[in-house]
């Protein structure tokens, strides 16, 4: 399949642990987005990459959250010293173009549970 | 402050009837509005969109209506099918540097056979 993939699909962490969530976007897609979806809520924007450049990180909730996309393809969202309020589904999406609006294709998400 | 609101958490409809899902927004500068459908354990999938300069867009069984004066949009599904049962998210965006989506909280649609 040529869709967006994310790994792991499920992650359980003890409070205070660091976690890394991976996103493989659709090949050739310039734009990559991370969203956080808390239980019973809609997805909320975290950060945006155009190729390897992180152009918007206004949605990252704290400095414990860090994202990178070093080669303009795979992206990793890292959460340091996880807290219970970080428990959510983390969704990655990619789209073909940068500046013009293009459909965003979502991955299945990583469900993070912090105990 | 919630810029996109879906005030109905759930909706139940009989198969073959019309489903109407509603969405309200607060910012009149949004350029596009979109509807996404989400099944459990899957990511949202794009359904239909409408530009802010239009008032209607139709794609098969799905029609989206935009009322800019009321800052309201709705998704009509006719006829509804059991496979339409899912969570529907309304989203909006400003076209430009980011194109990030601003989502509502979703409406769970159940289509009864």
């Amino acid at each position: 399949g040529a869709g967006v993939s994310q790994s792991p699909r499920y992650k359980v962490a003890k409070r205070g642990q660091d976690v890394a969530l991976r996103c493989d976007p659709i090949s050739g897609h310039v734009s990559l987005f991370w969203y956080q979806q808390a239980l019973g809520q809609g997805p909320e924007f975290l950060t945006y990459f155009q190729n390897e450049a992180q152009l918007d990180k206004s949605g990252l909730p704290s400095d414990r959250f860090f994202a990178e996309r070093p080669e303009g393809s795979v992206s990793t969202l890292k959460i340091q010293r996880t807290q219970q309020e970080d428990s959510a589904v983390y969704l990655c999406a990619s789209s073909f173009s940068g500046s013009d609006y293009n459909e965003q294709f979502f991955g299945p998400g990583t469900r993070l549970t912090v105990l | 402050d919630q810029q996109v609101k879906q005030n109905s958490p759930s909706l139940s409809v009989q198969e073959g009837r019309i489903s109407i899902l509603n969405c309200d927004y607060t910012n009149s500068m949004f350029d596009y509005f979109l509807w996404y459908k989400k099944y459990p354990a899957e990511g949202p999938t794009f359904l239909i969109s409408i530009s802010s300069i239009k008032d209607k867009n139709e794609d098969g069984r799905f029609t989206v209506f935009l009322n800019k004066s009321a800052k309201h949009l709705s998704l009509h599904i006719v006829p509804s099918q059991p496979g339409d049962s899912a969570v529907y998210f309304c989203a909006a965006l400003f076209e430009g540097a980011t194109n990030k989506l601003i989502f509502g909280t979703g409406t769970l649609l159940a289509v009864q056979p």
Side-chain angles (χ1 to χ4, degrees), chain A residues 9-10 33 35 37 40-43 45 48 50 56 58 91 98-101 103-104 106-108, chain B residues 2 32 34 36 38 41-44 46 49 89 93 95-101 103-106:
Chain A
R9 291 294 311 277
Y10 303 90
F33 303 80
Y35 294 86
Q37 185 179 11
Q41 303 296 312
F45 171 79
Y48 164 68
Q50 190 175 110
D56 187 341
S58 62
L91 293 162
S99 55
D100 296 332
Y101 167 68
E103 179 183 343
Q104 292 184 26
F106 282 81
Chain B
Q2 194 88 22
Y32 282 93
L34 307 93
Y36 276 78
K38 186 180 184 304
E42 295 183 12
F46 171 75
S49 65
F89 290 101
L93 69 86
E95 189 171 31
T98 302
N99 295 319
K100 63 186 177 187
L101 294 169
F103 284 90
T105 53

Side-chain angles (χ1 to χ4, degrees), chain B residues 29-97:
Chain B
M29 301 302 291
F30 285 127
D31 293 303
Y32 282 93
F33 301 91
L34 307 93
W35 286 93
Y36 276 78
K37 176 178 177 180
K38 186 180 184 304
Y39 294 117
E42 295 183 12
T45 56
F46 171 75
L47 198 55
I48 191 169
S49 65
I50 187 167
S51 163
S52 61
I53 63 173
K54 305 282 189 184
D55 54 20
K56 178 182 175 181
N57 188 27
E58 190 172 352
D59 184 1
R61 297 186 296 115
F62 304 91
T63 304
V64 57
F65 296 92
L66 177 61
N67 182 335
K68 287 183 284 294
S69 61
K71 294 192 179 71
H72 177 84
L73 65 154
S74 60
L75 174 68
H76 293 212
I77 306 173
V78 181
S80 301
Q81 300 173 354
D84 296 329
S85 297
V87 176
Y88 288 78
F89 290 101
C90 171
L93 69 86
F94 306 102
E95 189 171 31

Side-chain angles (χ1 to χ4, degrees), chain A residues 11-85:
Chain A
K11 177 69 178 177
V12 178
K14 291 183 179 177
R15 190 172 54 182
Q17 280 185 333
D18 298 348
V19 298
L21 312 179
R22 177 187 170 108
C23 172
D24 285 79
I26 293 172
S27 178
H29 277 196
V30 168
S31 295
L32 186 144
F33 303 80
W34 283 98
Y35 294 86
Q36 179 192 57
Q37 185 179 11
L39 190 63
Q41 303 296 312
E44 291 193 3
F45 171 79
L46 292 176
T47 188
Y48 164 68
F49 290 87
Q50 190 175 110
N51 295 306
E52 70 279 0
Q54 188 175 20
L55 298 186
D56 187 341
K57 52 182 180 179
S58 62
L60 295 176
S62 77
D63 59 6
R64 296 186 295 104
F65 286 71
F66 172 77
E68 59 183 5
R69 194 186 185 196
E71 297 178 359
S73 177
V74 171
S75 177
T76 304
L77 176 66
K78 297 179 180 177
I79 309 173
Q80 296 176 325
R81 305 180 304 282
T82 53
Q83 303 295 315
Q84 285 188 323
E85 62 262 30

Side-chain angles (χ1 to χ4, degrees), chain B residues 6-50:
Chain B
Q6 293 176 259
N7 293 317
S8 297
S10 63
L11 174 68
S12 182
V13 169
Q14 286 295 120
E15 181 178 4
R17 307 293 292 269
I18 184 171
S19 295
I20 301 176
L21 297 106
N22 294 303
C23 178
D24 296 293
Y25 61 94
T26 56
N27 195 321
S28 58
M29 301 302 291
F30 285 127
D31 293 303
Y32 282 93
F33 301 91
L34 307 93
W35 286 93
Y36 276 78
K37 176 178 177 180
K38 186 180 184 304
Y39 294 117
E42 295 183 12
T45 56
F46 171 75
L47 198 55
I48 191 169
S49 65
I50 187 167

